[in-house]
């Protein structure tokens, strides 16, 4: 699938300098092996917990870099299902920016509440994620605001490269597995690994209910695939951006699929063994490993988000109580 000799628009800059653009609370997140989880999974798995921060997701890394240098007093607008919007709201507020997040009316209420709590003006738009993106573009054009798009802005991916650099402290892995939605996370991780650990395979995880990135990479161009479920909302994108498809094709080895049942089982494993409440998209890496879709020995993966919908969180708690 990959075309590792193909150039991308991403630049692996000075990681020390990149880290200075990212708030400390998003850096050096916990990473470790859990022996009981390893026993269940049947292999050594280093888990990096990217939710131990104010927004409960990894998004602060890339957004921190992407917003670096914007002058205070301006306005930033984005479209988001929640976690990206939280990152823009949290970091934008800290840097004196007014933040507008366009989202859909069926937005996860927990994520909406947190975006608002971080000071964002949250604009709900009727329709699909594409409608929210169009609303953000229109607002930016009419208001003269700075538009930041997940999956397009190179800094969002380049900031995520810090994750791979931190993982390297645990040694070299046979594979690194990460959920893949707009593609910035996995592109940033792969960018660093291609330079520093080229033998490590980089594998993304889509859901069977929302395989747009997998099909786009196979086709060599963005392909629209309407999600049949929004359960894993963080990676349930209807169509990736051309920039992101090109990066993933150039940097990532493979994309595998998991279904909702496997995501629920992975969330349960994570809660039981790591005492972490992951959202469905955040559990996709563990789901792929538990389902046997990663045929490698020593693996690293990430818990990328911890903002499940309230009903999903309550269902998981009930399941654990009766397990």
């Amino acid at each position: 699938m990959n075309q590792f000799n193909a150039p991308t628009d991403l630049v692996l800059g000075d990681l020390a300098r990149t880290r200075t653009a990212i708030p400390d609370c998003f850096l050096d997140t916990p990473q470790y092996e859990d022996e009981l989880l390893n026993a269940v999974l049947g292999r050594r798995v280093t888990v990096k917990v990217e939710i131990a921060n104010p927004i409960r997701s990894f998004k602060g890394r890339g957004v921190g870099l992407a917003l670096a240098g914007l002058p205070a007093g301006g306005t930033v607008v984005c479209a988001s299902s929640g976690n990206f919007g939280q990152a823009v709201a949290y970091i934008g507020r800290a840097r004196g920016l007014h933040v507008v997040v366009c989202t859909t009316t069926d937005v996860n209420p927990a994520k909406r509440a947190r975006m608002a709590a971080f000071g964002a003006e949250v604009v709900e738009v009727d329709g699909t994620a594409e409608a929210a993106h169009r609303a953000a573009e229109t607002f930016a054009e009419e208001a003269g605001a700075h538009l930041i798009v997940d999956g397009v802005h190179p800094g969002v991916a380049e900031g995520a490269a810090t994750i791979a650099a931190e993982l390297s402290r645990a040694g070299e892995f046979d594979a690194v597995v990460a959920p893949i939605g707009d593609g910035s996370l996995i592109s940033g991780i792969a960018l660093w690994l291609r330079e520093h650990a080229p033998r490590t395979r980089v594998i993304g995880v889509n859901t069977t209910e929302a395989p747009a990135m997998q099909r786009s990479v196979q086709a060599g161009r963005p392909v629209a695939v309407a999600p049949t479920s929004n359960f894993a909302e963080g990676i349930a994108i209807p169509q990736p951006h051309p920039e992101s498809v090109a990066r993933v094709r150039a940097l990532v080895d493979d994309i595998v699929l998991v279904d909702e049942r496997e995501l629920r089982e992975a969330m349960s494993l994570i809660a039981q063994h790591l005492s972490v409440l992951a959202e469905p998209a955040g559990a996709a890496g563990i789901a792929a490993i538990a389902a046997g879709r990663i045929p490698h020995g020593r693996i690293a993966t990430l818990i990328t988000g911890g903002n499940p919908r309230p009903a999903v969180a309550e269902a998981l708690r009930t399941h654990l109580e009766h397990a």
Side-chain angles (χ1 to χ4, degrees):
M1 184 188 82
N2 48 53
Q3 303 174 349
F4 293 151
N5 292 324
T8 76
D9 60 336
L10 302 181
V11 176
L12 186 62
D14 181 344
L15 262 291
R17 180 173 298 178
T18 296
R19 284 172 62 91
T20 65
I22 302 170
D24 288 344
C25 61
F26 297 107
L27 296 169
D28 302 315
T29 49
Q31 56 186 54
Y32 54 90
E33 292 185 35
D34 181 89
E35 297 299 333
L36 293 179
L37 180 60
N38 280 354
V40 172
L41 298 176
R43 62 195 66 199
R44 292 183 62 190
V45 178
T46 294
V47 179
K48 192 164 184 58
V49 183
E50 284 289 303
I51 67 175
N53 59 61
I55 66 172
R56 303 177 183 172
S57 87
F58 71 94
K59 297 284 189 178
R61 294 178 185 257
V63 171
L65 183 60
L67 295 185
L70 288 185
T75 298
V76 177
V77 61
C78 69
S80 174
S81 65
N83 285 346
F84 184 70
Q86 283 191 65
V88 176
Y90 181 86
I91 293 172
R93 181 181 65 177
R95 296 181 180 174
L97 299 166
H98 174 60
V99 174
V100 178
V101 181
C102 296
T103 190
T104 56
T105 53
D106 65 346
V107 61
N108 179 335
K111 293 180 179 179
R112 190 200 190 288
R114 296 180 70 81
M115 288 189 285
F118 295 139
E121 178 185 343
V122 182
V123 178
E124 294 187 19
V125 178
D126 288 328
T128 62
E130 294 101 316
H133 281 288
R134 289 194 298 269
E137 291 172 346
T138 299
F139 181 93
E141 182 177 352
E142 293 179 350
H146 179 82
L147 177 69
I148 178 171
V149 181
D150 197 3
V152 174
H153 195 299
V156 180
E158 292 161 1
T162 57
I163 294 173
E166 291 171 17
L167 276 171
S168 70
R169 299 169 188 168
E172 190 166 343
F173 298 95
D174 297 313
V176 175
V177 183
I180 181 169
D182 283 304
S184 292
L185 170 65
I186 202 165
S187 295
I189 289 172
L191 180 69
W192 192 92
L193 289 172
R194 293 297 161 228
E195 179 72 21
H196 296 280
R199 291 180 296 180
T200 299
R201 288 176 60 81
V202 182
I203 301 173
V205 186
N206 271 173
T207 67
T208 56
E209 295 80 12
M213 182 62 85
Q214 186 199 56
R215 294 191 187 176
S216 295
V217 168
Q218 291 170 345
R221 56 178 175 78
V223 173
V225 182
T228 58
S229 168
N230 201 37
F231 181 66
E233 60 196 10
I235 54 175
I237 63 169
Q239 181 174 334
H241 299 285
E243 297 90 338
S244 189
V245 174
R247 295 167 188 161
V248 172
R249 280 177 58 82
L251 295 168
V252 176
D253 289 281
D254 198 7
I255 299 174
V256 300
L257 301 179
V258 296
D259 61 30
E260 285 190 17
R261 177 187 59 80
E262 291 162 337
L263 287 172
R264 292 181 191 276
E265 292 175 353
M267 291 169 66
S268 180
L269 283 176
I270 291 166
Q272 289 176 32
H273 296 292
L274 306 180
S275 296
V276 168
L277 181 62
E279 64 184 84
I286 291 293
I289 297 167
R293 309 229 159 81
I294 313 298
H296 301 283
R298 190 173 183 224
I299 304 170
T301 193
L302 302 85
I303 311 300
T304 54
N307 294 293
R309 288 180 178 264
V312 172
E314 183 57 32
L316 178 58
R317 293 189 186 100
T318 300
H319 169 74
L320 292 172
E321 288 174 0
H322 294 88

